[in-house]
Amino acid sequence: MSTAEGSERRAASTEALARARLRRARGRMAVPAAAPGPSVAALIVAHNQARRIAATVRAALAIPGVDLVLVVDDASTDNTQELARRAGAVVVRHSHIRGRSAAVETGASVIAMRDEPERTPRAILILDPNLGHYAIGAAPLVPAVLEGVCDLAVALTDTQAVAPGVPSKIARTAVEKATGWSPRQPLGRIRCLTREALEVAMPLARGNGLEVAMTLDVLHAGLAITEVECDIRHKGPSIEDRTPVGRANRYREVLTVVSARRIRGRMQSTRASMGQRLRPQRDEAAPVPETMEPEEDS
């Protein structure tokens, strides 16, 4: 073989090898992914829930559409935050007890900071910390919000058609008088809502009035609410609700919120009515501009 022929063969081989590498590189090129759709962040407020918090976090992560679980540790004295972090949650902690409403506001702020600018803000799924693996039952709430069926979805977790108790009755009556809709469980704590719905409810009402205040504020803003049946087994009321003092506080806080919203609604109606009455008087009192006629040439 001549030197020229060997050079030609080596050149052809090198060219073929380059083409093969180019084909393999093109095959490995990633196809542009579609823009990610809306997602949900599960928000869990916990205080001394070391017994069930890990199972609750793992169940929340298994809900389709949930890409973030945030636990707000409201000054626990046990290892709640450590167990939640090991289970896969992002954890923030209050140095002293601030209450559930303040913790939800803290969680919403943290979730907003973790949202990507080019994506739709995450909806928020509020879960109780003591649900354990039953938290997966809240999954039907997520598509109701992400698919635009409603702005706020409340979980129906009680086997009874209508939640019993005087506070529930007060809340149900208030919602019905204000909007004409009679919710079955107006004080349901497990709910999923859009960022817009949460913002119209800010600042959140404190104590046991959180849920009914949120419902009234969202409805008054013209947003949609629905109740969704969920296979969730509650672990029973909190210790505070089992005592006479706890039940009295629940009654007082719900009644306070309902009364405040009723007074606010009356004031808004009065202002609107006065504005409509004053508008015609202003129009009549407005001076009629004089028309300037052109002067005749002398």
Side-chain angles (χ1 to χ4, degrees):
M1 180 185 302
S2 63
T3 304
E5 291 178 353
S7 299
E8 291 178 359
R9 289 187 178 183
R10 284 193 298 270
S13 177
T14 302
E15 185 179 355
L17 181 60
R19 286 197 298 266
R21 288 177 178 175
L22 181 60
R23 286 194 299 268
R24 287 196 297 269
R26 288 175 177 174
R28 289 194 302 266
M29 289 178 63
V31 178
S39 58
V40 173
L43 174 56
I44 304 171
V45 177
H47 174 73
N48 290 344
Q49 291 289 335
R51 183 179 178 183
R52 296 194 180 97
I53 189 63
T56 304
V57 169
R58 286 192 291 268
L61 286 169
I63 296 176
V66 172
D67 63 354
L68 171 66
V69 174
L70 177 69
V71 173
V72 180
D73 184 357
D74 199 26
S76 296
T77 56
D78 59 9
N79 60 340
T80 293
Q81 63 169 330
E82 180 182 351
L83 294 175
R85 192 174 287 111
R86 288 181 180 178
V90 175
V91 181
V92 294
R93 188 177 187 276
H94 288 165
S95 59
H96 59 279
I97 297 177
R98 297 179 57 190
R100 184 165 177 265
S101 299
V104 171
E105 292 175 349
T106 297
S109 299
V110 174
I111 292 171
M113 289 188 294
R114 297 180 69 91
D115 284 340
E116 299 177 8
E118 65 276 6
R119 294 187 61 182
T120 303
R122 289 182 177 92
I124 297 179
L125 174 63
I126 303 175
L127 297 173
D128 284 344
N130 59 354
L131 293 175
H133 64 274
Y134 293 117
I136 191 69
L141 299 177
V142 173
V145 173
L146 293 188
E147 295 175 8
V149 176
C150 62
D151 301 283
L152 169 60
V154 182
L156 295 175
T157 61
D158 200 327
T159 55
Q160 302 182 22
V162 178
V166 177
S168 293
K169 184 177 180 180
I170 293 173
R172 186 179 305 107
T173 302
V175 174
E176 188 173 9
K177 286 184 177 180
T179 64
W181 173 57
S182 180
R184 293 165 59 185
Q185 296 178 23
L187 301 180
R189 293 161 59 98
I190 302 172
R191 43 185 62 198
C192 184
L193 68 166
T194 62
R195 192 66 53 82
E196 179 185 5
L198 182 62
E199 288 175 355
V200 300
M202 292 286 193
L204 299 177
R206 282 354 190 200
N208 293 290
L210 167 62
E211 285 75 26
V212 63
M214 178 185 291
T215 298
L216 289 170
D217 291 342
V218 169
L219 289 173
H220 285 155
L223 304 178
I225 298 180
T226 189
E227 292 180 314
V228 181
E229 293 187 1
C230 296
D231 185 16
I232 300 176
R233 301 182 188 180
H234 269 304
K235 298 301 179 182
S238 63
I239 296 176
E240 292 78 7
D241 292 339
R242 298 172 189 168
T243 63
V245 175
R247 291 193 293 269
N249 287 337
R250 184 180 181 87
Y251 171 82
R252 175 178 54 81
E253 290 167 354
V254 170
L255 186 61
T256 299
V257 164
V258 168
S259 300
R261 294 308 189 275
R262 186 182 295 122
I263 293 172
R264 182 191 301 177
R266 289 175 180 174
M267 292 178 61
Q268 292 175 349
S269 299
T270 301
R271 290 173 183 171
S273 178
M274 292 181 63
Q276 292 177 357
R277 291 179 181 178
L278 292 175
R279 192 173 295 113
Q281 296 179 6
R282 292 172 181 171
D283 294 341
E284 292 175 0
V288 179
E290 297 181 356
T291 58
M292 300 295 293
E293 296 181 358
E295 297 180 357
E296 297 181 357
D297 295 337
S298 55

